[in-house]
Amino acid sequence: MFRLSGEQSAIVDGVTAVCKRFGDDYWAECEEHARFPKEFHRAMAADGWLGVTMPEQYGGAGLGIKEAVLVMHTVARNGGGMAATSSIHMNMFGPHPMLVHGSEAQKASWIPGLVAGTTQVCFGVTEPDAGLDTTSIKTFAKKVDGGFRVSGRKMWISTAQVAHKILLLARTSPKPEKGKGKATDGMSLFYTDLDRSKIEVRRIPKHGRAAVDSNALFIDDYFVPDSDLIGEEGKGFHYLLDGLNPERCLIAAESIGIGQDALERATRYAKERVVFGRPIGKNQGIQHPLAENWIALEAAQLMVERAVELYDAGLPCGAEANSAKLLGSRAGYQACQQAVLTMGGMGYAKEYVVERLLREVLVCRIGPITDQMILNYIGEKVLDLPKSY
Ligand SMILES: Cc1cc2nc3c(=O)[nH]c(=O)nc-3n(C[C@H](O)[C@H](O)[C@H](O)COP(=O)(O)OP(=O)(O)OC[C@H]3O[C@@H](n4cnc5c(N)ncnc54)[C@H](O)[C@@H]3O)c2cc1C
């Protein structure tokens, strides 16, 4: 990925060295016991990788999204799948709104813990009754003396079983009726304690990535102090928008890395497995789909690079970041699926890992935005077609 400078090659080598300490057995064990990969998280923190994009004054490396993409792509390529990437994903883009809109005091107290890995944060946006229509969220933060009282429900919140903090989006004024103000106004962003003795966090049984939990949250009259509000009241949704394009690039790079890992495993198997007296990889029916996977992964990677270059240059990159996310998650998914099919029965066996990668990579096609919503975006914003919904 990318033509790398010396410093960037060192990032790839350093992250690879950490990942190599956590082999297939480690990830299989985390999955089997549905336990957070805390040793991996700690190891990444110890070598400074959790603070890649954080300012140096708070202990980070102060680098751009390109370097964050390199970190996540490298993690994804090395066998840990989404269990590995999701355990550190929030660190790469999540704190962005606080960096840009938080006060000096907030940053000084919040960021160092995230860099050191002593604080974990989850991202609390999705709601059961709003879905992708984020402006329709119902969680409400009512102003009271010294803070806010928050009530509502959140859905799918990843790492909430282990996180100490939550980046929480809530309405602080009701959604305006159609034609009477902007639906995107009136939401506020908080970085606050996730106190599981006061917020009910219910784990959702799911298809893959058992090691990293996702949860329904039940929030009932939960007090959040004024000091935990990021920036101005009512502007929270706008603050989140800043971080959406980098996150799309990160997810794309993660999917691509997982797809490349699966492709490597399938290719190795196709060379070694002999049926009808010849390696199965000698059959074009096995070889060509793998070649197609390689091409699709490379093409998606180019789109990630384009989006990242634009973003790091301060230029608009919505079309490219969304396209990269769609291409990357499809290519990653298809490569994992093909890896299973290449291996026949053994593709279905846990021992060969690709069935886990297939289950895990699927989520990249769903979150944080689906294929359909990306196509809506391109149709409307790039092709200038009428909004379809
Ligand atoms: C494992 C996992 C982890 C997650 N982690 C987090 C997290 O940490 N924090 C968080 O906030 N969220 C998280 N999410 C939520 C995720 O971002 C959402 O699931 C995703 O944004 C889709 O929203 P939804 O599930 O509500 O789908 P819905 O909004 O219910 O949509 C359902 C389907 O309808 C389609 N659709 C809806 N409207 C339109 C339209 N106008 N045009 C075309 N198609 C349409 C969608 O594309 C989708 O295919 C996670 C989800 C999963 C599965």
Side-chain angles (χ1 to χ4, degrees), residues 86 90 122-134 154-160 167 206 208-209 212-215 363 365-374 376 388-389:
S86 300
M90 256 307 267
C122 60
F123 190 61
V125 172
T126 305
E127 296 195 3
D129 298 327
L132 287 154
D133 181 9
T134 307
K154 293 282 170 189
M155 191 65 183
W156 284 116
I157 309 311
S158 297
T159 76
L167 194 63
K206 60 188 190 323
R209 208 195 66 184
V212 177
D213 55 273
S214 293
N215 306 275
V363 72
R365 299 194 61 185
I366 299 169
I369 186 172
T370 56
D371 287 6
Q372 293 94 329
M373 293 309 284
I374 290 177
N376 284 342
S388 60
Y389 59 98

Side-chain angles (χ1 to χ4, degrees), residues 13 16-17 25 54 86 89 100 103 129 151 155 172 186 252 260 318-319 331 335 345 360 362 373 384-385 387:
D13 293 346
T16 304
D25 290 349
M54 318 274 182
S86 300
H89 177 86
V100 181
S103 68
D129 298 327
S151 294
M155 191 65 183
T172 35
Q260 289 167 331
E360 293 191 2
L362 179 54
M373 293 309 284
D384 202 25
L385 290 165
K387 186 170 176 165

